[in-house]
Amino acid sequence: MTDTGRDMNLVVVGAAGRMGKTLIRAVADTSGVTLSGAIEIAGSPAIGKDAGEIAGVGANGVLISDDTLGAFAEADGVLDFTVPAASVSFSELAAQARIVHVIGTTGCSDDDEEKFSAAARHARVIKSGNMSLGVNLLAVLVRQAAGALAAPDFDIEVLEMHHKHKVDAPSGTALLLGGAAAEGREIALADKAVKTRDGITGAREEGTIGFATLRGGSVIGEHSVLFAGEGETIEIAHRATDRLLFARGAVKAATWAYDKKPGRYDMLDVLGLPRT
C-alpha cells in the first residue's frame, strides 16, 4: 500500500506468458496491491483479453494491451520476468516514470546490467536471479560454507535442472549461487567458473566452481551446491514445486521498494538477509 493509503498499482509485462499469468495471480492474492496494467507485445493474440481471465482468477477489468508507456504512466511499479532486450527497454521507461522495476529476467549480459544500473539513478530497481526466500537464504549459507570449506580441500559444483522450455543456461539461480560461493572464497566467479565439460578435459582445476545444467519435462527449478572433499560431500539444495513462490517474492519486492530512494537493490535487501 502507498503512503496515500491507496493500493500500490502494479503492471505485469509479458502478461500472457507462463510467469506473467503467475504474477497476475500473486497480485490478486496480495492485499495492498492492485493490477493496474497488463502488457504484451504488439500482435499478441492476448491483446484485448481480460488479464484476470487469462490468468485464471476471474475477470478483473484489466485488458491486456501493448501500450507500455500508458500503463507505466499510471503505475507505481512493474513486475518483469521477460527477456533481456525487453527488460532493458522496460528499465528505461521505468526510469522515466520514476517507478519501481522488479526484474526476474535471467540471461542478461554485462551490458544489460550496466543499463539497469543506469536506470536505477531514477527508478528503484530490484533485480535477482531468484525471488524466493529459500533460495536467497541458501545463497547466504553457500557463501558461509564456501568460506569455511576452503580449496583445495573442497571442490564446489553447482547443479541445476529446469523445464525443457528454459532458454538460458546456467540458470540465473545457479549463477546467483555460484556467485555466493565465489564471494565466500573471495574470488571472481568470472575467473573460476567452468560451465561446460566435454571430452578429455584433464584433471579438475583447483579452486574452480563447476556448473552442470539439466533440462527436461516441467521441472520448475531444482538447485544443489555440492562441496566435495576427500571422503565426504556436503550438499545444500532447494527445490521449487510452485512457480507462485517466485511471483509472491516479486510482489513483496515491489511493495518493499515503494518508499525507497532510487537505486539498485536485490532480494537480500528486500528480505533483510546478511551479505557477509
Side-chain angles (χ1 to χ4, degrees):
M1 183 172 291
T2 69
D3 52 8
T4 63
R6 64 170 176 80
D7 283 0
M8 184 177 184
N9 287 332
L10 296 176
V11 172
V12 171
V13 293
R18 184 184 293 108
M19 195 63 203
K21 294 175 184 176
T22 307
L23 288 164
I24 291 170
R25 291 198 293 272
V27 172
D29 289 344
T30 306
S31 61
V33 297
T34 296
L35 184 72
S36 63
I39 297 299
E40 263 297 341
I41 60 173
S44 167
I47 298 293
K49 294 184 179 179
D50 188 284
E53 290 185 342
I54 286 284
V57 296
N60 58 16
V62 178
L63 301 183
I64 296 178
S65 167
D66 60 3
D67 181 13
T68 308
L69 191 60
F72 280 33
E74 301 296 325
D76 300 304
V78 55
L79 307 178
D80 174 10
F81 286 65
T82 56
V83 296
S87 290
V88 168
S89 177
F90 294 140
S91 73
E92 295 170 354
L93 294 177
Q96 292 173 23
R98 286 170 165 72
I99 59 177
V100 174
H101 188 191
V102 179
I103 307 172
T105 303
T106 58
C108 299
S109 67
D110 290 343
D111 184 57
D112 296 333
E113 296 292 347
E114 289 179 6
K115 291 175 180 176
F116 296 141
S117 294
R121 290 197 290 267
H122 301 292
R124 284 89 80 204
V125 176
I126 307 95
K127 185 176 187 297
S128 177
N130 194 295
M131 298 286 175
S132 82
L133 169 61
V135 163
N136 283 278
L137 178 58
L138 177 64
V140 173
L141 297 175
V142 166
R143 185 171 62 243
Q144 293 174 344
L149 305 173
D153 296 329
F154 285 87
D155 301 316
I156 301 176
E157 294 286 315
V158 181
L159 171 65
E160 57 106 341
M161 182 170 185
H162 284 84
H163 54 85
K164 61 186 177 183
H165 301 292
K166 189 167 180 61
V167 298
D168 58 307
S171 70
T173 303
L175 294 172
L176 173 72
L177 297 173
E183 288 175 11
R185 288 196 170 171
E186 298 182 347
I187 58 176
L189 180 62
D191 296 336
K192 292 296 184 178
V194 177
K195 298 176 181 176
T196 58
R197 293 191 179 105
D198 184 42
I200 301 174
T201 61
R204 189 184 197 282
E205 183 181 343
E206 183 180 303
T208 54
I209 297 175
F211 291 84
T213 298
L214 304 177
R215 294 287 179 266
S218 59
V219 176
I220 292 173
E222 299 183 357
H223 297 84
S224 301
V225 181
L226 289 82
F227 297 87
E230 293 294 333
E232 62 179 335
T233 299
I234 300 165
E235 179 179 2
I236 310 176
H238 179 273
R239 291 174 178 83
T241 58
D242 189 341
R243 195 170 279 106
L244 195 57
L245 73 95
F246 307 126
R248 287 173 177 154
V251 174
K252 180 180 178 68
T255 57
W256 175 88
Y258 174 77
D259 61 356
K260 301 299 184 292
K261 294 179 180 180
R264 182 81 184 260
Y265 304 98
D266 60 24
M267 287 304 288
L268 293 184
D269 298 309
V270 174
L271 299 169
L273 293 174
R275 295 188 175 276
T276 57

